[in-house]
Amino acid sequence: EAQVTQNPRYLITVTGKKLTVTCSQNMNHEYMSWYRQDPGLGLRQIYYSMNVEVTDKGDVPEGYKVSRKEKRNFPLILESPSPNQTSLYFCASSLDRGFGYTFGSGTRLTVV
Amino acid sequence: GQQLNQSPQSMFIQEGEDVSMNCTSSSIFNTWLWYKQDPGEGPVLLIALYKAGELTSNGRLTAQFGITRKDSFLNISASIPSDVGIYFCAGRNYGGSQGNLIFGKGTKLSVKP
């Protein structure tokens, strides 16, 4: 089944403890992206990648890192999480720049 | 960052009624997309629009790419209970990177049986 898989689905962590949210797609898509969703703010793009080793900042990149070493994987790294990064995170992928993104099921992160 | 203005924020309608929502931008977009999000899930693409003036349907859903390239609307005809969810518009800025897809804040739709 064609899909975008994120792990974990739920995560509670403490301030300052480094964490990684994994994302993998099995559709051979060129583009991948991370979004965060907060009540009243909609979906805001964190980072995106146009291909292996090519990434760029979205609208809210502060406090996040990404890497694209392989086409299928696009992990999101929080080096020192803070409570304001508590949010619902979505990974997404797209075949080409002309197509919409296919989204994963989300990761709900709580930082205490 | 750039924002899309999506309205209304929420709608409460009776089953069978038609629904209309829209999205506007201060700058020109070359792609408009409409997504639906069910509770606990990621957004799912409903309709994609690539050309000014384009009108596209997907079952009971119809969306249009505004002629000015700065707006788009989505209509749902004869609503049913499973239409409940949050609808998002999304767009790519004409001068921006192709990977940079911007979302509106969503329209929450509730349908009374």
Side-chain angles (χ1 to χ4, degrees):
Chain A
E1 183 191 349
Q3 59 186 358
V4 177
T5 303
Q6 303 176 220
N7 280 297
R9 286 294 305 268
Y10 301 92
L11 178 60
I12 301 174
T13 190
V14 295
T15 299
K17 186 177 180 183
K18 181 179 177 180
L19 66 92
T20 299
V21 183
T22 64
C23 175
S24 179
Q25 51 92 5
N26 62 0
M27 297 169 279
N28 201 35
H29 282 175
E30 299 281 336
Y31 286 74
M32 296 187 75
S33 183
W34 277 101
Y35 286 83
R36 61 177 288 175
Q37 185 176 21
D38 302 289
L41 297 178
L43 289 144
R44 293 180 294 167
Q45 195 170 37
I46 303 170
Y47 270 96
Y48 57 94
S49 168
M50 289 77 82
N51 212 325
V52 174
E53 303 291 5
V54 182
T55 62
D56 204 352
K57 294 177 181 177
D59 295 318
V60 288
E62 294 78 22
Y64 304 95
K65 280 174 59 177
V66 292
S67 69
R68 188 95 180 272
K69 292 185 168 54
E70 306 164 279
K71 198 173 187 180
R72 63 182 292 127
N73 296 323
F74 191 46
L76 179 69
I77 302 155
L78 283 73
E79 294 271 3
S80 182
S82 61
N84 65 13
Q85 292 178 299
T86 292
S87 187
L88 178 58
Y89 290 87
F90 287 102
C91 181
S93 71
S94 176
L95 176 64
D96 189 80
R97 60 187 180 184
F99 292 82
Y101 279 114
T102 299
F103 282 80
S105 297
T107 295
R108 186 166 291 282
L109 172 67
T110 303
V111 183
V112 298
Chain B
Q2 185 167 32
Q3 286 188 329
L4 297 181
N5 298 310
Q6 186 172 350
S7 65
Q9 276 189 313
S10 61
M11 303 181 76
F12 297 86
I13 61 168
Q14 201 76 34
E15 183 177 359
E17 287 183 359
D18 296 344
V19 171
S20 186
M21 58 192 79
N22 68 78
C23 221
T24 61
S25 168
S26 57
S27 56
I28 292 172
F29 276 58
N30 61 12
T31 303
W32 284 98
L33 306 166
W34 286 92
Y35 284 83
K36 182 193 178 199
Q37 185 179 28
D38 291 323
E41 299 295 330
V44 173
L45 183 65
L46 299 173
I47 292 179
L49 302 157
Y50 301 108
K51 198 171 153 185
E54 181 181 355
L55 185 73
T56 297
S57 294
N58 177 6
R60 292 178 297 106
L61 278 60
T62 301
Q64 184 158 30
F65 192 139
I67 200 75
T68 65
R69 298 177 188 254
K70 292 184 179 181
D71 62 346
S72 177
F73 72 76
L74 174 71
N75 285 343
I76 305 173
S77 62
S79 58
I80 59 178
S82 61
D83 290 335
V84 165
I86 303 177
Y87 291 80
F88 291 98
C89 62
R92 284 197 178 89
N93 188 305
Y94 189 76
S97 168
Q98 291 291 346
N100 186 210
L101 188 63
I102 302 162
F103 280 76
K105 294 184 180 178
T107 295
K108 187 173 181 181
L109 179 63
S110 301
V111 179
K112 264 196 305 188

